[in-house]
Amino acid sequence: MSQKVLLTSKEVNIILHRLACQLIEKHLDFSDTILVGIQPRGTFLAQRLKDMLEKEYNISKIALGYLDITFFRDDFRRTNKPLEANKTQINFIVENKKVVFIDDVLYTGRSIRSALTAIQSFGRPSEIELLVLIDRRFSRHLPIQPDYRGRQVDAINDEKVKVCWKEQDGEDAVYLINK
């Protein structure tokens, strides 16, 4: 097994600032916008962006929630191992709000399809956008594309993209792993 560094900590930070600025361009003061991190790994990116927008760009009162999609996935009954659900934390109504789904890697698109179904339990958003740190091309099963992407990666065959977050993994980095 070998791994190649796709993004260093410095590059991740630069990309996060660019994504934050793109969000500001589109959503200005975020009064009608909600950020929703897709459990489990999109939550780190979502929290990091919220903190950056508030502390470094002086935008206050950004609504942030976390959405668990475990039981909305189309493959949740296709495994023999017990499922471990995460916690959904959405303490607000999404009715007529702009929702920005945030996830670390866009791969097949199935997680986002599940999130589209799951969010309906909290109201009908006026608009839904997708922000991802890594967009894996050539692996989509569904016609889903990000509105905001940090980096596009051409991972093929058995290659895996691993995103590491300081909060959980001790470092900010993205690796391409060959099995």
Side-chain angles (χ1 to χ4, degrees):
M1 182 169 79
S2 66
Q3 69 180 23
K4 172 185 170 188
V5 176
L6 293 177
L7 296 174
T8 64
S9 176
K10 183 177 180 179
E11 291 167 320
V12 168
N13 192 48
I14 291 167
I15 287 172
L16 291 179
H17 277 279
R18 179 172 45 81
L19 291 169
C21 289
Q22 289 174 344
L23 286 171
I24 293 167
E25 286 177 18
K26 177 82 187 273
H27 298 279
L28 301 175
D29 65 356
F30 289 78
S31 59
D32 287 329
T33 302
I34 297 167
L35 303 181
V36 176
I38 307 296
Q39 289 277 23
R41 304 212 34 109
T43 59
F44 300 108
L45 177 56
Q47 185 64 55
R48 192 79 70 83
L49 283 169
K50 178 184 189 290
D51 291 345
M52 188 176 282
L53 289 165
E54 289 178 341
K55 294 173 184 163
E56 298 184 38
Y57 295 98
N58 299 316
I59 298 171
S60 60
K61 299 180 184 173
I62 296 175
L64 171 63
Y66 302 131
L67 184 63
D68 178 47
I69 59 168
T70 303
F71 297 108
F72 293 92
R73 293 186 57 90
D74 60 3
D75 61 353
F76 87 92
R77 288 194 174 116
R78 295 176 188 224
T79 181
N80 293 331
K81 59 183 180 181
L83 293 175
E84 291 184 33
N86 293 288
K87 188 174 182 182
T88 291
Q89 295 175 301
I90 296 181
N91 304 324
F92 38 76
I93 302 295
V94 301
E95 191 74 28
N96 294 320
K97 298 285 187 184
K98 295 174 185 169
V99 172
V100 180
F101 284 148
I102 300 174
D103 208 357
D104 60 347
V105 178
L106 175 58
Y107 182 30
T108 63
R110 293 187 181 281
S111 293
I112 303 308
R113 189 219 45 87
S114 302
L116 289 166
T117 302
I119 198 69
Q120 299 299 316
S121 302
F122 299 93
R124 184 173 185 247
S126 64
E127 182 180 321
I128 298 177
E129 295 178 328
L130 175 59
L131 180 149
V132 296
L133 181 65
I134 301 295
D135 176 13
R136 284 189 59 163
R137 296 190 327 159
F138 309 129
S139 50
R140 229 47 108 241
H141 295 175
L142 301 170
I144 293 174
Q145 300 300 322
D147 298 282
Y148 312 92
R149 78 172 49 89
R151 173 74 51 90
Q152 198 167 45
V153 175
D154 295 338
I156 56 173
N157 301 327
D158 290 335
E159 293 176 326
K160 181 180 178 187
V161 175
K162 181 181 180 189
V163 177
C164 298
W165 295 107
K166 193 181 329 177
E167 297 86 345
Q168 183 175 20
D169 308 303
E171 68 171 338
D172 288 339
V174 179
Y175 298 97
L176 182 65
I177 299 173
N178 285 315
K179 293 182 180 184

